[in-house]
Amino acid sequence: MSLPDVSRTLRGAIHALRAQFFVAGALFATWGVHVPSVKAHYGLSEQSLAIAMLAGGAGAVVALPYAGRVLARFAPRRVVPLMGLVCMLAVGSLLWPSLYGLLLALMLVYGMAAALFDVAINDEALAIERHADRPLMSGFHGMFSLGGMAGAAAWSLLAPLGVAPHVHLVAASVVLGTVALAAGAFMLRDVRNAGEGRAPLSLPHGPLVLLGLLAALGLVGEGAMYDWSVLYLRQELGTSAGIASLGYASFSGAMAAGRFGGDWVRARVRSVTLLRFSGALGAAGMALAMAVPHPAAALLGFALVGLGFANIVPVLFSAAGQVPGIAPAHGIAAVSAVGYFGLMAGPPLIGFIAQARSLTAGLLVVIVFAVVVSALAKRALRSPR
């Protein structure tokens, strides 16, 4: 293949992967903005809602240790479209059953598929970075945030028009699933070894343990915004459904901006410094949102959380994919196994606290975890990569 052909193929793969990150963010946002809809549809308490969220976390934790095996045998080009289709079916069906047990089953399936989808697109991102020989990870994650912003903004526009929540879930899922299937055709044609399906489970060990812990703490903040920001504005501050959706959009928009500029920053700022600053800014933003009980302050605070947390996961995932002696897919999967426990299990933790005290009290854990990320940044990233 000639050099121009290689460049054209790489450019196509970059655009396709950006589309897949966008799909992942938009699907997650579509579920996030409908947390109040799910709560009302099934008549759930905060505790029951938290258990449903925990089912998604359980699905992710079950699937992630096997992600390295799957990606050793099947290239992301094959894994991503299939998992995108499963995610589409699960999210699109959330408001159709009336039985709580079926909701738990759908969340379990969604958690498993979303986890494999996520590890696969990050594995592809590292492969593309190696081919392009420049930082691209933050930009890809920026598309995730942009997808989140678009997913939230769509419901903010459609809700005042009287569109039923279940109709929105189905329509959004069909559109995003179609994009995932179409973009899969342009992803890298990596060849994997079928015999590698017997590779060891992707379990964290050595430097991956602390990287995973910090990813978990950072992703608690992301999960809190995805699953509770809308309900916080709606329930605690008494805003309309349209305004409440802007809480998610402000967070995702600021996170997207921070990530689109993140590759430029990562090329000029040490990872330890960036990680420390990110945790501190995230803590300050959440403190502002909680301290001033006004929608404008909450929206500004959520935006600062998004800006602060923007590059935590890209920095940690890049580090996980560069640990000597460990295949990138296994490193990412191992860190994800711990990290996405925070994304999926963090919101239920907040729900349990909200049930016992208040949602405001539950969201205070985001401040604590962000401070810990800042404090442990040097220790997590000091090992040679």
Side-chain angles (χ1 to χ4, degrees), residues 21 25 140-150 222 226 251-253 255-257 259:
F21 270 91
F140 287 131
H141 281 264
M143 291 302 296
F144 180 94
S145 300
L146 186 62
M149 182 177 66
E222 288 195 43
Y226 294 139
F251 164 78
S252 293
M255 178 167 273
R259 284 177 169 171

Side-chain angles (χ1 to χ4, degrees), residues 60-69 200-203 330 333 337:
V61 171
V62 167
L64 283 168
Y66 295 92
R69 283 186 177 182
L201 295 180
S202 301
L203 300 176
H330 283 282

Side-chain angles (χ1 to χ4, degrees), residues 226-240:
Y226 294 139
D227 291 343
W228 293 109
S229 61
V230 175
L231 195 60
Y232 174 79
L233 285 163
R234 192 88 168 94
Q235 179 175 289
E236 304 291 293
L237 301 185
T239 65
S240 66

Side-chain angles (χ1 to χ4, degrees), residues 236-339:
E236 304 291 293
L237 301 185
T239 65
S240 66
I243 295 297
S245 295
L246 293 179
Y248 188 104
S250 66
F251 164 78
S252 293
M255 178 167 273
R259 284 177 169 171
F260 285 131
D263 292 321
W264 185 88
V265 174
R266 286 173 57 210
R268 292 162 177 79
V269 178
R270 293 174 63 242
S271 295
V272 171
T273 303
L274 178 58
L275 196 57
R276 280 177 169 171
F277 176 78
S278 297
L281 184 58
M286 184 57 75
L288 171 63
M290 299 296 99
V292 183
H294 189 279
L299 293 176
L300 175 59
F302 291 163
L304 291 176
V305 174
L307 192 61
F309 280 38
N311 288 292
I312 291 178
V313 169
V315 167
L316 293 173
F317 277 21
S318 290
Q322 299 174 49
V323 175
I326 299 176
H330 283 282
I332 293 173
V335 169
S336 296
V338 182

Side-chain angles (χ1 to χ4, degrees), residues 52 55-56 59 90 94 97 99-112:
L94 284 175
L99 297 176
Y100 181 58
L102 291 178
L103 172 64
L104 297 180
L106 287 171
M107 290 301 300
L108 181 70
V109 170
Y110 172 66
M112 295 175 68

Side-chain angles (χ1 to χ4, degrees), residues 22-32 84 87-88 91-92 110 147 172-173 176-177:
F22 181 91
V23 167
L27 270 175
F28 208 67
T30 301
W31 144 245
C87 287
M88 174 198 77
V91 172
Y110 172 66
S173 297
L176 294 170

